[in-house]
Structures are given as C-alpha cells and as structure tokens.
Amino acid sequence: MATPIALEDTTWTQDATDLIERWAAEGRRFTADTLREAMRPAPRQGMEGGVFIAAAKRRLIEKVADNTSRTKSRNGGHQYTWVGVPERHLQAVAA
C-alpha cells in the first residue's frame, strides 16, 4: 500500500499577506520574526521574505530599520523592521 502524501499548506502565503496588510494598516512595526511568531510555520524555508517583498512592491510597507533576528534557526541573521506606508492606507480608505 502506498504512503499518503502530506498536503501542502496552500493558504500560508495569503494568510501571511493578510496579516502584514493588517499590521501595516495599524501602523505597527514588525519583522520576519514577528511574522513567524504570529503564524503557523511556512511550508518552505524562506517564504517569509517573499511576502515582505510583495508587500513592499505594492508600496504597503517600507523598511525603517536593520536588525538581527532573534530566531534560533536564523542564527543571528540580518532582517529588516517594516512599517506601513501611511499614504497608501489613506488612499485605500478613500477608495
């Protein structure tokens, strides 16, 4: 009998994007560590970066600081602190 294949988490990216959008709208400062603490584990390593890049390209968030990750698996690796772009949120509310 064949071993069943585990289903991949196909909603992680959308859920992470929704959370980043909410934090950005609140004006909250956050990092990839913050996202990892608030979310279930990403299906693949490095997926967190993709959602931050996508949000930055949409001009929802911007980098405000450089810092060091507190996550043990990142071994003190570099990360950014992000915050929502206020003008973008005003446009979204007006629409």
Side-chain angles (χ1 to χ4, degrees), residues 15-32:
D15 293 344
T17 300
D18 292 345
L19 186 55
I20 288 173
E21 288 174 356
R22 187 177 73 206
W23 287 344
E26 293 170 356
R28 180 175 173 177
R29 295 174 86 119
F30 51 92
T31 67

Side-chain angles (χ1 to χ4, degrees), residues 4-84:
I5 298 173
L7 297 177
E8 184 172 331
D9 184 350
T10 59
T11 61
W12 186 92
T13 300
Q14 186 59 53
D15 293 344
T17 300
D18 292 345
L19 186 55
I20 288 173
E21 288 174 356
R22 187 177 73 206
W23 287 344
E26 293 170 356
R28 180 175 173 177
R29 295 174 86 119
F30 51 92
T31 67
D33 285 348
T34 314
L35 182 66
R36 281 188 208 93
E37 292 165 2
M39 290 277 301
R40 62 192 177 275
R44 288 183 306 282
Q45 183 178 358
M47 288 182 71
E48 295 89 349
V51 294
F52 282 98
I53 290 168
K57 283 183 178 180
R58 292 173 52 206
R59 297 181 50 201
L60 294 175
I61 60 174
E62 62 186 359
K63 299 172 193 173
V64 292
D66 293 287
N67 56 341
T68 302
S69 176
R70 301 175 318 274
T71 303
K72 186 176 181 179
S73 64
R74 294 271 296 125
N75 195 26
H78 177 265
Q79 68 177 354
Y80 293 107
T81 298
W82 301 85
V83 70

